[in-house]
């Protein structure tokens, strides 16, 4: 019997958390025992795992003093170890750098899988303490993983060529799974406002996701400006928030290209 542990930083509506929920649902359908750890659990969480959810803290990092945050960082690997032992976990999957690092130093002996979800060399251009730790782990503590899953071949090559990832034999490309039945069902639900109904009356190209540098959404806007000249009824719709500076840049770009409307 497989007892599976899913480890994630938060329970927000990000792609990693949604992916963890998909994994959770599929493993439960197969009859496996599954537990899901949120390092930080908040009242406004959108992703939930019911009675199988375990929270390590209900206070966010920024609400902790420096000393409390440092102490919490030190405790997390030991808390993970205790949970693995308590529930006889046979396999664990961690989502993203933070969960990966803490899992790698928990010293538990289950089959460990880490996951990398974006171009880390771009993220690492932001110089901060956590990014330094995450990058160092690629050369040290990732040794303790049995597999490190990359969501594309490009992400894998970025790790090797630009991030100095040392344990190449552990890397495996596995594209994100999707619940197509759920997507089909949700697509039949009515829209919630007159504005949305009007917006989607014509042909639409839809971007769904956080506005971040690694997604490079300016390329889509530039491509759309070419299509717009061919079909004036076509709309480009963005759903998602993100980096405020990037959002302003994108809005300025639509003005520059003459497609603001």
């Amino acid at each position: 019997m497989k007892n599976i542990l899913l480890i994630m930083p938060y329970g927000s509506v990000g792609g990693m958390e949604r992916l963890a929920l998909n994994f959770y649902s599929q493993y439960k359908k197969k009859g496996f025992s599954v537990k899901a750890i949120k390092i930080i659990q908040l009242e406004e969480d959108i992703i939930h795992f019911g009675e199988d959810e375990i929270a390590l803290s209900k206070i966010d990092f920024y609400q902790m003093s420096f000393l409390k945050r440092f102490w919490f960082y030190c405790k997390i690997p030991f808390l993970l170890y205790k949970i693995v032992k308590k529930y006889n976990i046979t396999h664990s999957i961690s989502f993203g750098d933070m969960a990966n690092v803490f899992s790698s130093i928990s010293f538990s002996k289950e089959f460990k899988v880490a996951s990398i979800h974006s171009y880390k060399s771009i993220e690492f251009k932001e110089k901060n303490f956590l990014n330094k730790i995450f990058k160092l782990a690629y050369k040290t503590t990732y040794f303790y993983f049995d597999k490190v899953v990359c969501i594309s071949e490009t992400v894998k090559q970025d790790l090797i060529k630009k991030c100095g990832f040392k344990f190449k034999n552990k890397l495996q490309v596995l594209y994100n799974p999707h619940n197509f039945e759920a997507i089909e069902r949700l697509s039949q639900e009515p829209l919630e406002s007159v504005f949305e109904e009007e917006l989607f009356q014509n042909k639409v190209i839809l971007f769904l996701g956080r506005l971040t540098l690694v997604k490079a959404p300016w390329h889509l806007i530039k491509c759309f400006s070419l299509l717009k000249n061919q079909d004036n009824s076509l709309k480009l719709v963005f759903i998602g928030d993100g980096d405020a500076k990037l959002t302003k840049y994108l809005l300025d770009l639509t003005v520059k290209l003459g497609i603001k409307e």
Side-chain angles (χ1 to χ4, degrees):
M1 177 66 176
K2 293 180 181 179
N3 298 325
I4 298 171
L5 181 65
L6 308 176
I7 310 168
M8 68 212 75
Y10 288 93
S12 59
V13 74
M16 289 192 305
E17 293 85 358
R18 183 73 67 184
L19 181 62
L21 185 60
N22 283 341
F23 275 45
Y24 173 81
S25 300
Q26 293 302 314
Y27 285 135
K28 292 287 283 188
K29 284 182 181 179
K30 290 180 177 294
F32 297 150
S33 172
V34 189
K35 296 295 178 183
I37 289 180
K38 293 177 184 175
I39 294 175
I40 304 292
Q41 180 193 71
L42 302 173
E43 289 186 6
E44 59 267 29
D45 282 354
I46 296 176
I47 303 299
H48 300 284
F49 301 89
E51 61 183 14
D52 293 316
E53 183 170 308
I54 302 170
L56 301 188
S57 172
K58 295 186 179 182
I59 301 174
D60 208 343
F61 290 113
Y62 75 88
Q63 296 173 300
M64 304 176 188
S65 67
F66 174 79
L67 288 177
K68 284 187 176 180
R69 185 186 304 183
F70 179 77
W71 177 238
F72 182 53
Y73 284 154
C74 293
K75 286 199 309 182
I76 291 174
F78 298 99
L79 294 173
L80 293 178
Y81 178 85
K82 289 174 66 176
I83 291 168
V84 167
K85 297 292 285 185
K86 179 178 179 180
Y87 294 103
N88 296 315
I89 298 299
T90 59
H91 297 71
S92 67
I93 306 172
S94 49
F95 296 83
D97 284 315
M98 180 177 290
N100 290 344
V101 169
F102 286 129
S103 176
S104 71
I105 58 176
S106 67
F107 303 109
S108 52
K109 301 299 182 183
E110 79 280 9
F111 188 94
K112 290 188 178 186
V113 180
S115 59
I116 307 291
H117 298 261
S118 64
Y119 303 140
K120 304 312 298 186
S121 63
I122 296 177
E123 291 188 6
F124 288 159
K125 287 181 179 179
E126 181 180 347
K127 305 298 182 182
N128 57 52
F129 175 73
L130 283 179
N131 277 346
K132 289 180 180 179
I133 294 295
F134 296 156
K135 192 170 183 179
L136 177 62
Y138 291 165
K139 304 174 184 179
T140 55
T141 63
Y142 273 68
F143 168 81
Y144 296 105
F145 285 110
D146 296 280
K147 289 290 181 182
V148 179
V149 171
C150 306
I151 63 168
S152 74
E153 182 64 33
T154 308
V155 169
K156 175 183 175 180
Q157 294 304 319
D158 180 67
L159 283 175
I160 296 171
K161 296 177 181 178
K162 297 183 180 181
C163 300
F165 192 91
K166 186 176 180 181
F167 312 104
K168 301 176 185 179
N169 62 312
K170 297 180 183 290
L171 293 174
Q172 182 171 340
V173 175
L174 182 64
Y175 293 95
N176 283 342
H178 297 280
N179 187 337
F180 291 107
E181 291 181 2
I183 294 172
E184 182 77 20
R185 183 182 69 255
L186 291 169
S187 72
Q188 304 304 316
E189 292 187 359
L191 297 172
E192 295 182 352
S193 70
V194 174
F195 169 74
E196 289 178 347
E197 290 178 357
E198 293 177 351
L199 190 63
F200 289 99
Q201 279 181 350
N202 298 318
K203 289 181 288 185
V204 165
I205 295 173
L206 180 65
F207 173 98
L208 180 60
R210 294 192 69 240
L211 296 176
T212 62
L213 287 174
V214 294
K215 292 182 175 19
W218 53 87
H219 292 306
L220 178 57
I221 290 177
K222 290 177 180 178
C223 291
F224 175 76
S225 70
L226 302 177
L227 291 174
K228 187 70 173 174
N229 295 330
Q230 302 175 27
D231 187 348
N232 196 48
S233 67
L234 191 62
K235 296 289 185 184
L236 174 60
V237 177
F238 284 81
I239 298 180
D241 59 9
D243 186 295
K245 291 182 180 179
L246 177 59
T247 301
K248 183 181 184 305
Y249 172 78
L250 296 177
L251 290 171
D252 291 344
L253 182 61
T254 64
V255 174
K256 181 180 178 181
L257 295 174
I259 55 172
K260 183 179 178 181
E261 74 282 2

